[in-house]
């Protein structure tokens, strides 16, 4: 595993890949402290703007779901009312009452996180997304559940007590809440500010706020599904296929079917399983936010102003 962006969180990526990746959970304590693109100050800033809409923000309790009206409010723009925006006053009141704040897909709206995860996704050739959880001490925001992703938990503030349970025995499992008897516990730890927890894909887990206001960033590393492979195979096999839109008789229908089959056979003849996986992963990566432009609007305006000045001189 060549992932220099991952190294500051887990140490040697090759050793991490051999000992932990999709094998077992682990706790890491980065040398020199945790470096995170997103901080508690960024949480405050995002809430203060009031511009975060549903579904980028949610308030949740493990056993007491909250409706969106409890934390969202409308905003008036140019004489019209638009609903579904984060209400800072409501959210802070719910946090004081023990609810957990969840901020989704930070990589889509926070520039530094977007840039860092674009690099990490390119290195891993897997889609990486970011979510932030803010949990008061002694409370639980999400019940025991499985994620359809490998997860890196970056503890930013306070501490949180985690229990990680066994992963699924085979591919016949669902993500989401775990009902019934919980699987055997394989790791129990209290994650403190500056530490990192790795949870393999499918491993059931739950967490409770420990000391202070617990804030952590969850980086979800998503693998492709069989559905992704199937759709990719369809696209590859149909690439550049000429299709007669309306065959007029039986012979024309059979001729079109023959041409299609010949095209598909030729398209997949040299395709290996590794090729299919690689194409499917690239397709997943293409849906992620691109890194920000290196040229800001401010820099562009200054450059234009300098050019105008040079012409006048």
């Amino acid at each position: 595993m060549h992932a220099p962006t991952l190294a500051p969180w887990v140490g040697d990526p090759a050793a991490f890949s051999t000992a932990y990746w999709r094998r077992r959970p682990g706790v890491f304590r980065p040398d020199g402290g945790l470096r995170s693109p997103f901080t508690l100050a960024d949480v405050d800033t995002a809430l203060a703007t009031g511009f975060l809409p549903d579904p980028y923000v949610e308030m949740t309790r493990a056993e007491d779901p909250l409706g969106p009206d409890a934390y969202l409010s409308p905003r008036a723009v140019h004489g019209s009312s638009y609903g579904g925006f984060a209400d800072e006053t409501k959210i802070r009141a719910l946090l004081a009452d023990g609810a957990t704040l969840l901020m989704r897909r930070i990589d889509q709206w926070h520039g530094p996180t977007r840039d860092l995860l674009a690099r990490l996704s390119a290195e891993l050739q897997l889609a990486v997304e970011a979510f932030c959880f803010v949990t008061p001490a002694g409370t639980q925001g999400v019940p025991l559940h499985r994620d359809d992703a490998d997860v890196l938990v970056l503890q930013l503030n306070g501490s949180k007590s985690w229990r990680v349970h066994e992963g699924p025995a085979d591919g016949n499992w669902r993500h989401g809440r775990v009902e019934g008897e919980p699987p055997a516990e394989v790791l129990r730890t209290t994650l403190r500010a500056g530490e990192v927890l790795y949870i393999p894909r499918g491993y059931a887990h739950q967490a409770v706020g420990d000391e202070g206001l617990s804030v952590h960033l969850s980086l979800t590393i998503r693998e492709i599904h069989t559905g992704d492979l199937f759709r990719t195979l369809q696209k590859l096999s149909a690439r550049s296929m000429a299709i007669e839109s309306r065959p007029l008789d039986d012979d024309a229908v059979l001729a079109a079917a023959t041409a299609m089959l010949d095209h598909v056979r030729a398209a997949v003849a040299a395709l290996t399983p590794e090729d299919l996986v690689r194409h499917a992963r690239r397709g997943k990566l293409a849906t992620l936010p691109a890194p920000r432009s290196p040229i800001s609007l401010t820099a562009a305006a200054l450059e234009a102003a300098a050019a105008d000045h040079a012409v006048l001189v």
Side-chain angles (χ1 to χ4, degrees):
M1 178 183 288
H2 176 71
T5 305
L6 181 67
W9 298 323
V10 301
D12 180 10
F16 169 77
S17 176
T18 301
Y20 293 96
W21 179 248
R22 295 184 179 162
R23 290 177 174 83
R24 62 187 177 102
V27 176
F28 303 88
R29 297 172 178 85
D31 293 336
L34 177 65
R35 284 174 278 176
S36 169
F38 195 72
T39 67
L40 183 55
D42 292 316
V43 174
D44 282 329
T45 300
L47 289 179
T49 66
F51 290 146
L52 275 184
D54 177 52
Y56 286 107
V57 62
E58 179 183 355
M59 297 298 295
T60 178
R61 290 191 181 100
E63 303 300 337
D64 184 16
L66 294 164
D69 289 343
Y71 53 88
L72 302 176
S73 292
R75 295 180 69 92
V77 181
H78 197 56
S80 297
S81 181
Y82 300 87
F85 287 89
D87 187 313
E88 182 182 15
T89 301
K90 290 181 177 180
I91 288 172
R92 293 194 183 280
L94 287 170
L95 280 169
D97 193 40
T100 286
L101 167 63
L102 165 58
M103 296 173 133
R104 292 191 177 92
R105 291 306 304 270
I106 293 169
D107 52 295
Q108 291 185 349
W109 51 267
H110 183 255
T113 302
R114 172 181 171 180
D115 294 343
L116 184 139
L117 294 199
R119 295 196 300 272
L120 182 59
S121 296
E123 291 169 6
L124 299 178
Q125 284 297 289
L126 294 170
V128 187
E129 303 164 353
F131 302 78
C132 181
F133 291 82
V134 181
T135 304
T139 65
Q140 182 174 356
V142 184
L144 179 66
H145 66 285
R146 300 183 190 275
D147 287 322
D148 192 13
D150 294 271
V151 180
L152 283 171
V153 177
L154 280 56
Q155 189 70 26
L156 308 181
N157 190 80
S159 60
K160 203 166 196 178
S161 296
W162 289 82
R163 294 184 179 185
V164 183
H165 303 255
E166 284 182 340
D170 53 36
N172 297 315
W173 63 279
R174 295 180 180 275
H175 69 277
R177 183 168 184 158
V178 175
E179 303 289 354
E181 188 69 20
E185 190 175 299
V186 294
L187 176 67
R188 181 182 297 197
T189 187
T190 296
L191 204 65
R192 294 177 170 79
E195 298 180 335
V196 177
L197 169 65
Y198 167 66
I199 304 173
R201 181 185 180 197
Y203 275 57
H205 55 278
Q206 57 187 327
V208 177
D210 189 57
E211 294 181 352
L213 188 65
S214 170
V215 182
H216 76 262
L217 194 64
S218 281
L219 304 184
T220 60
I221 306 169
R222 300 198 183 276
E223 182 57 277
I224 55 174
H225 298 168
T226 51
D228 297 316
L229 291 172
F230 180 69
R231 286 187 290 273
T232 301
L233 182 60
Q234 286 179 306
K235 291 179 182 179
L236 292 175
S237 61
R239 184 183 294 172
S240 302
M241 182 186 293
I243 300 176
E244 186 74 26
S245 58
R246 294 182 180 85
L248 295 178
D249 54 33
D250 290 347
D251 289 340
V253 169
L254 286 173
T258 300
M260 285 184 184
L261 288 173
D262 288 344
H263 180 94
V264 170
R265 291 188 185 105
V268 302
L271 188 66
T272 66
E274 291 77 14
D275 292 334
L276 183 58
V277 168
R278 185 171 62 255
H279 281 289
R281 285 176 174 167
R282 286 177 179 172
K284 201 85 165 178
L285 292 174
T287 66
L288 297 176
R292 291 175 297 173
S293 170
I295 302 177
S296 67
L297 294 179
T298 301
L302 290 174
E303 184 177 336
D308 290 342
H309 178 73
V311 170
L312 292 174
V313 173

